[in-house]
Amino acid sequence: MLSEEDRKAIRNQTIPSLEELLTLAKEYNTSLIFDLKTDSTNAVYTDHVVQTILNSSILQNLVLWLPPQNRDLVMRKAPGFRQVYANRSEMEADGGNQLNLKYSSLTTQEIGELRQRNVSLNLYVVNEPWLFSLLWCSGVTSVTTNACHIFKNMTQPVWVLAPDTYRVIWITVDVAFLLSILGLFFLQRWRFNRGRESEEHRNGYSTWVTQQMNTIL
């Protein structure tokens, strides 16, 4: 439950305009990633957004452009924008080198291969420290997250195991446990059989002695 103080702070918050957001990003030299949500493919709308960005005088290389609609127009008008793609085929067709994908769409091996080709990767949505650490160790360039307040305090990855490594350890432990149980079973059986043979030997010896005594008597 939110406290009254938190409720008051939320009520006083406002959504910044694009111009205000650009001013803030320019002030802190921070990159912006644009993913316009519109059903329209009207080039006028795209042109208006691009012109607003250019008017802010923010460095073009700080702008990451995601929308595939009218990408050619954007590249002509703002060649310095970093074009980010949602699939590899489109990126390769345009000669790009930046991808924005869901974190589960790539394996660690695929991440490594793309990074070797100098492809920048932004993966979304990553909110768990263990997942953030795994992607960090895999070489991912950046992530989209709702947990900035957690990740900002992480100076190094937390210790995690890759799924394949965890699976090997899990199977190895299970096999070792099974072998231990079988070993104990056969040990108990061997001791039981040895005990029975000793008992039969003693009983046989006692019978022989009794027979010899009866013969003497």
Side-chain angles (χ1 to χ4, degrees):
M1 297 293 291
L2 295 175
S3 65
E4 185 57 35
E5 184 178 353
D6 290 336
R7 293 174 183 273
K8 183 178 180 180
I10 292 173
R11 283 195 294 267
N12 290 332
Q13 289 180 353
T14 57
I15 299 175
S17 65
L18 178 57
E19 290 87 349
E20 291 171 335
L21 181 62
L22 290 165
T23 300
L24 188 64
K26 180 182 176 181
E27 179 181 352
Y28 289 95
N29 198 35
T30 300
S31 297
L32 288 177
I33 186 166
F34 280 89
D35 189 6
L36 303 181
K37 297 297 183 181
T38 175
D39 295 331
S40 174
T41 58
N42 191 338
V44 175
Y45 176 79
T46 301
D47 183 74
H48 174 71
V49 174
V50 173
Q51 189 59 52
T52 301
I53 297 172
L54 294 176
N55 290 342
S56 71
S57 299
I58 189 174
L59 295 176
Q60 290 192 25
N61 63 359
L62 292 179
V63 179
L64 284 73
W65 188 270
L66 269 71
Q69 300 90 348
N70 305 308
R71 192 184 292 274
D72 291 341
L73 181 152
V74 177
M75 294 174 70
R76 289 195 305 270
K77 189 162 186 174
F81 285 8
R82 292 153 62 186
Q83 297 296 325
V84 185
Y85 299 84
N87 63 76
R88 296 170 64 173
S89 58
E90 183 183 354
M91 178 193 72
E92 292 169 353
D94 285 356
N97 64 351
Q98 299 200 64
L99 282 173
N100 180 60
L101 301 171
K102 188 175 182 180
Y103 73 87
S104 58
S105 64
L106 293 174
T107 64
T108 53
Q109 180 178 354
E110 290 173 327
I111 291 173
E113 291 172 353
L114 287 169
R115 293 298 294 131
Q116 287 180 355
R117 294 168 48 194
N118 292 323
V119 175
S120 297
L121 293 171
N122 181 76
L123 301 185
Y124 62 89
V125 173
V126 178
N127 293 324
E128 297 296 332
W130 70 266
L131 180 58
F132 178 61
S133 298
L134 180 61
L135 297 176
W136 187 347
C137 293
S138 298
V140 169
T141 312
S142 60
V143 299
T144 299
T145 181
N146 297 319
C148 293
H149 58 293
I150 298 175
F151 295 164
K152 71 176 182 179
N153 297 321
M154 292 179 61
T155 58
Q156 61 185 14
V158 297
W159 188 79
V160 294
L161 289 176
D164 290 341
T165 304
Y166 175 81
R167 191 176 298 111
V168 169
I169 294 175
W170 177 67
I171 293 174
T172 302
V173 171
D174 276 2
V175 170
F177 179 74
L178 178 60
L179 292 176
S180 299
I181 295 297
L182 290 174
L184 289 172
F185 172 77
F186 286 114
L187 177 62
Q188 288 294 98
R189 184 174 181 180
W190 176 78
R191 292 177 62 183
F192 175 76
N193 290 335
R194 185 180 180 187
R196 188 170 63 179
E197 290 173 358
S198 298
E199 183 67 25
E200 290 175 351
H201 177 74
R202 287 195 298 270
N203 290 340
Y205 179 75
S206 298
T207 302
W208 180 81
V209 171
T210 301
Q211 290 175 348
Q212 293 300 317
M213 291 296 293
N214 291 336
T215 302
I216 294 173
L217 295 174

